[in-house]
Amino acid sequence: MPSGVTRTTLRHMTYFPPPAEELRFLDSELRQLDARRAQLLARRAWLITTLQQAVQPAPPVWPSPPTRPGPSARPEATAPGVQNVLLLLGGILLTVAAMVFTLVSWGHLGIAGRSLVLGAVTLAVLGAPVALLRRGLRSTAESVAGLGLALTVLDAYALHEVVFTAADATTYAAAASTALAALWAAYGTAPAALPGSSALRLPRPAALAVAQLPLALWTLALGGGPFTVTAAVLLTTAFDALVALRVAERPVRPVAVVCAFGTGGWGVLAAGLLSLGAAGPSAAARAAALLFLAAVIALGVARFAPRTGLATGMAATGALCASAGLGGVLRVSVPGDWVVPACLACGIALLAAARGPAAVRRGVALASGVVQAGAVLWAAPAVGVTLLGPTAWLGHIWSGAPADARAAVTVDAFWPPYAVTVPLVLVAVATVLATAVRGEQRRPQALTAALTLTWAALLVTPAALELPYFVGLLIQGLMVPALLAPALRGSAARTATGLALLTALGLAFLSLATEPATLAVLASLTVVFAVAAWRGRQAPVYAAASLGWATALACAVGVSAGWRPEHVALLVLVVPVVAALLAARLDDSATTVAVEVTGAVAGLVAIGLAVADPPLLALVLSLCGVIAAGTAVRPDRRAVGYAAVALFVLAAWVRLAAWRVGLPEAYTLPVTVPALLVGALRRRRDPAASSWTAYGPGLTVTLLPSLAMAWSDAEWTRPLLLGAAGLLLTLLGARHRLRAPLVLGGSVLALITLHELAPYLVQVTDALPRWVPPALAGLLLLALGATYEQRLRDVRRVREVLGRMN
């Protein structure tokens, strides 16, 4: 039998139950699934409740499965959490009660009663944790132990108030803190020796916390001064660090770390303040000894620290402490100008003194970098004054050469104190960056930073050393071509370009003190940047800079010759001419654009200089238009032709304004004629171009202003000429079938006719009877209705023809 016959037969033999029977079957299956799901959810809720019960759980009971199980209620707090809260509150309340008893109710008992009560309560509370530990109630034992420790503090206070009333407060506090630390430490280790119990966790951290006080308090009690107390604090820090490194017990180590950082920070801060406040070598040496002690502690921690990050940080801290200590000694030992260089030498020496693991060496190198960065920041104000101070010469142009280079940069500013050694500091840091930094990633950045620092050192040297004014000009002038040297590549080349521009700008401001210096500097900068652009590296930037300095040179030459600003504008126009000629010969598009933009800016400068003289302004605008027209001759700069036309139009308008011409046609016709010529050329190249695009703008420029003037003009000359022009445009538009001349000329003709006949129309309207306007309106409506009916009849005829065709 063929396979097709088998599939057909089996398809017809398959049984499909009726829809009602199939629906009953599906409902039955779904009810069974719901029942099973409810049973499983009930079992899950019972298991959760069983796991969350207290220490003695109830025996499991199978709950009856509900028909529709709901969400089970979950407790918001765990049993251990509730237990800890209760124990903590209980300990706090008992401690408060003991304090109230000691401070308030103490006087109601005699000497024997007081001793008996305090001793009995303290011993009972301190002994209770041992029994609680044997029963496995560890949390309760810790809470009771905390209460016992608080009672020992109250006992010490009570003894001072009753027995040792004549004792010195500081001495008694030192003795009490020592005794409490020893007692708590012994109490924390005693339960470990008892059989069947484990040691308490609270007494040992508490003893370590109290142990921060005895050494400093004993020092104060024995009459120690600030240096001795600071030394005691640092020794306490060493003890904390030793505990943190050697003791692995969890409750003790975190407390030791916190105490070490707290006391260490306090000690280092106090030692630093003592070093800053030291008035002589002796005090500075003692403060330095304290800082060296802190450095030894930090380096010791770094040597044995378990984590790399901690070791690096502690090594950096230790190196900085040592540098600060030595810097404090140098501050009172050497002249003020050499303090920062000496500290910088100490920071650089850290690189050579770095020994030990890699993390320690990294931390020491980081500390050296921090010291060097601080030295650079100290030198930054002097560099800023040298770079920005010469801008004040804009208000004192050609007032005379200053006494020296420092006076040249501090016209309206002040020189920072102790800044003679700024160049030495900057050169030293630059040398370290260039020689000490290795690695493919950091090496280029280090070289760039070294180049910047070397530039800053050379820039500030004349002012720092108070060299003669012209020597300072010569040094900065030589820096510009040195920065433009082609030996630099990559990021260093870009950095050198920016530094060269900054140096040139500062040199130009600095040269404004005398006329010869200004002319010489501007001419030199023009030539230097032109040569750099000719070499091809960073050509767009250097070419634009050269043209910019040429513009400034033209202005300076004009002022030096005694010309007025509007006459100087003609000299400045040489720069746009040179820029246009260069742009036509350059092959690099970026350089071409930079040259053209700079030339345009120079043209704007010339226009701005000539604003005060309208006739000369018209000449300058015309010359700018000639330059733009010459640029538009190039095939890729055709769009500049629009700018040329705009400049010519502006020149014509300025010339007319200078002649006090008030006719609007004199201003609009110079725009209309070129616009119509351009439109005619476009129509000749593209006959499909719209007449509105070709002729519309040119015609509108003249017709609209003239129409506005004619509408309010009482004379007959302008309306007559404008009407004739409208008639001529209408005839030309009809002759050549052009919409723009036809519509614009017809509209102008109609409006002029309406304007001229308006008085007569008013007279006719007054002479007509009042029924004439409604009659005319009715005739108009009848005509429109007849036309509408004719169109409907034509539509019906077309529909009938189409029906017959079907």
Side-chain angles (χ1 to χ4, degrees):
M1 181 180 296
S3 59
V5 175
T6 303
R7 286 195 298 269
T8 304
T9 305
L10 291 175
R11 184 168 61 250
H12 288 290
M13 292 177 62
T14 302
Y15 173 72
F16 292 98
E21 182 179 353
E22 186 177 1
L23 181 61
R24 287 194 298 272
F25 176 74
L26 292 177
D27 291 339
S28 177
E29 291 292 333
L30 291 174
R31 282 194 296 273
Q32 293 179 7
L33 290 176
D34 290 339
R36 180 59 178 167
R37 183 174 182 274
Q39 184 179 4
L40 293 176
L41 288 175
R43 177 63 177 174
R44 179 179 180 276
W46 177 83
L47 290 174
I48 292 175
T49 305
T50 302
L51 293 176
Q52 291 179 349
Q53 285 181 353
V55 181
Q56 297 179 357
V61 177
W62 287 86
S64 59
T67 55
R68 294 181 61 87
S72 59
R74 300 182 61 182
E76 297 181 355
T78 60
V82 174
Q83 167 191 311
N84 293 334
V85 171
L86 294 177
L87 292 176
L88 179 62
L89 290 176
I92 292 175
L93 292 177
L94 289 176
T95 303
V96 171
M99 292 175 61
V100 171
F101 169 76
T102 304
L103 298 175
V104 178
S105 301
W106 181 262
H108 299 287
L109 299 176
I111 298 297
R114 299 171 188 174
S115 304
L116 181 62
V117 170
L118 278 178
V121 172
T122 303
L123 292 176
V125 173
L126 291 177
V130 178
L132 293 173
L133 286 173
R134 291 178 178 177
R135 292 181 174 271
L137 302 177
R138 187 178 188 84
S139 299
T140 307
E142 296 287 351
S143 180
V144 175
L147 176 61
L149 299 180
L151 288 176
T152 56
V153 177
L154 295 177
D155 290 341
Y157 171 76
L159 288 175
H160 178 267
E161 292 296 324
V162 176
V163 180
F164 302 103
T165 54
D168 179 63
T170 305
T171 305
Y172 184 79
S177 60
T178 305
L180 288 176
L183 176 64
W184 291 1
Y187 178 69
T189 56
L194 297 177
S197 64
S198 59
L200 293 171
R201 296 182 179 179
L202 181 61
R204 288 184 295 277
L208 181 61
V210 175
Q212 309 303 309
L213 303 177
L215 192 57
L217 291 177
W218 279 117
T219 304
L220 288 174
L222 296 177
F227 291 93
T228 310
V229 173
T230 304
V233 172
L234 291 175
L235 291 176
T236 305
T237 303
F239 170 73
D240 296 333
L242 182 63
V243 173
L245 292 174
R246 296 301 181 185
V247 178
E249 189 176 352
R250 186 173 181 181
V252 177
R253 172 172 284 183
V255 176
V257 171
V258 172
C259 292
F261 278 105
T263 55
W266 179 21
V268 170
L269 179 61
L273 294 176
L274 291 174
S275 178
L276 289 176
S282 176
R286 285 182 290 170
L290 295 176
L291 290 172
F292 287 152
L293 176 59
V296 170
I297 296 172
L299 292 175
V301 174
R303 179 64 180 81
F304 299 100
R307 297 181 181 180
T308 304
L310 178 61
T312 302
M314 296 308 297
T317 303
L320 288 176
C321 289
S323 300
L326 189 56
V329 175
L330 293 174
R331 183 180 62 84
V332 298
S333 303
V334 300
D337 293 333
W338 294 95
V339 172
V340 175
C343 295
L344 177 61
C346 297
I348 295 174
L350 291 176
L351 294 175
R355 295 292 185 272
V360 175
R361 295 197 304 271
R362 192 181 305 112
V364 174
L366 179 61
S368 176
V370 171
V371 174
Q372 296 178 55
V376 172
L377 289 178
W378 170 80
V383 178
V385 170
T386 305
L387 190 61
L388 302 177
T391 57
W393 285 107
L394 289 173
H396 309 279
I397 296 178
W398 297 350
S399 59
D404 50 43
R406 181 178 296 183
V409 300
T410 56
V411 180
D412 293 333
F414 67 94
W415 186 252
Y418 307 118
V420 177
T421 55
V422 167
L424 178 62
V425 170
L426 295 175
V427 170
V429 178
T431 304
V432 172
L433 289 174
T435 57
V437 178
R438 295 290 184 267
E440 297 181 357
Q441 296 181 352
R442 297 183 178 180
R443 181 67 176 173
Q445 301 174 358
L447 291 178
T448 302
L451 174 63
T452 305
L453 293 176
T454 304
W455 165 81
L458 292 176
L459 184 71
V460 80
T461 297
L465 301 181
E466 296 183 285
L467 298 178
Y469 168 68
F470 292 102
V471 175
L473 288 179
L474 180 61
I475 292 176
Q476 289 196 27
L478 294 177
M479 288 173 60
V480 175
L483 290 168
L484 300 179
L488 300 174
R489 293 291 184 270
S491 61
R494 293 189 293 270
T495 303
T497 299
L499 296 178
L501 294 176
L502 283 177
T503 306
L505 189 62
L507 180 61
F509 285 129
L510 197 62
S511 67
L512 295 177
T514 62
E515 179 181 346
T518 302
L519 297 177
V521 166
L522 293 178
S524 302
L525 291 177
T526 302
V527 174
V528 168
F529 280 99
V531 172
W534 177 70
R535 289 182 176 180
R537 187 176 63 85
Q538 302 287 337
V541 178
Y542 295 154
S546 178
L547 291 175
W549 294 123
T551 303
L553 177 62
C555 295
V557 169
V559 174
S560 176
W563 295 357
R564 299 182 59 184
E566 53 270 20
H567 296 149
V568 177
L570 297 176
L571 184 60
V572 173
L573 284 178
V574 176
V575 178
V577 173
V578 175
L581 295 176
L582 286 176
R585 296 177 177 272
L586 294 175
D587 297 331
D588 185 15
S589 59
T591 306
T592 302
V593 172
V595 169
E596 290 175 345
V597 170
T598 309
V601 173
L604 292 177
V605 172
I607 293 172
L609 291 173
V611 166
D613 191 349
L616 200 55
L617 176 60
L619 177 60
V620 171
L621 289 172
S622 300
L623 294 176
C624 291
V626 172
I627 299 172
T631 303
V633 174
R634 294 160 49 193
D636 55 340
R637 292 293 187 269
R638 298 297 188 193
V640 184
Y642 296 104
V645 173
L647 289 171
F648 284 128
V649 171
L650 287 176
W653 287 355
V654 171
R655 184 72 264 181
L656 291 172
W659 288 337
R660 298 181 180 180
V661 175
L663 296 176
E665 290 79 10
Y667 295 91
T668 57
L669 285 176
V671 180
T672 297
V673 174
L676 293 177
L677 292 177
V678 173
L681 292 175
R682 181 172 182 180
R683 288 275 297 177
R684 178 175 296 180
R685 294 179 181 177
D686 185 12
S690 173
S691 62
W692 288 105
T693 305
Y695 305 116
L699 294 174
T700 305
V701 168
T702 296
L703 292 177
L704 291 183
S706 299
L707 183 62
M709 292 295 295
W711 198 263
S712 60
D713 194 355
E715 300 295 332
W716 59 272
T717 307
R718 180 178 282 110
L720 178 61
L721 295 176
L722 189 58
L727 178 60
L728 179 60
L729 288 175
T730 304
L731 295 176
L732 290 175
R735 172 68 178 82
H736 298 283
R737 297 181 181 180
L738 298 176
R739 292 182 180 178
L742 182 62
V743 173
L744 291 176
S747 300
V748 170
L749 181 59
L751 291 174
I752 289 297
T753 303
L754 179 62
H755 174 266
E756 294 300 320
L757 299 179
Y760 303 101
L761 293 176
V762 172
Q763 294 177 5
V764 171
T765 304
D766 294 336
L768 287 177
R770 295 189 175 182
W771 55 267
V772 174
L776 293 176
L779 291 174
L780 178 61
L781 292 177
L782 287 176
L784 292 175
T787 304
Y788 186 70
E789 184 180 5
Q790 180 66 29
R791 297 294 182 268
L792 291 178
R793 188 169 60 251
D794 293 340
V795 171
R796 283 195 297 268
R797 288 177 181 177
V798 172
R799 187 171 57 188
E800 290 175 358
V801 171
L802 293 176
R804 287 195 299 269
M805 290 175 63
N806 292 331

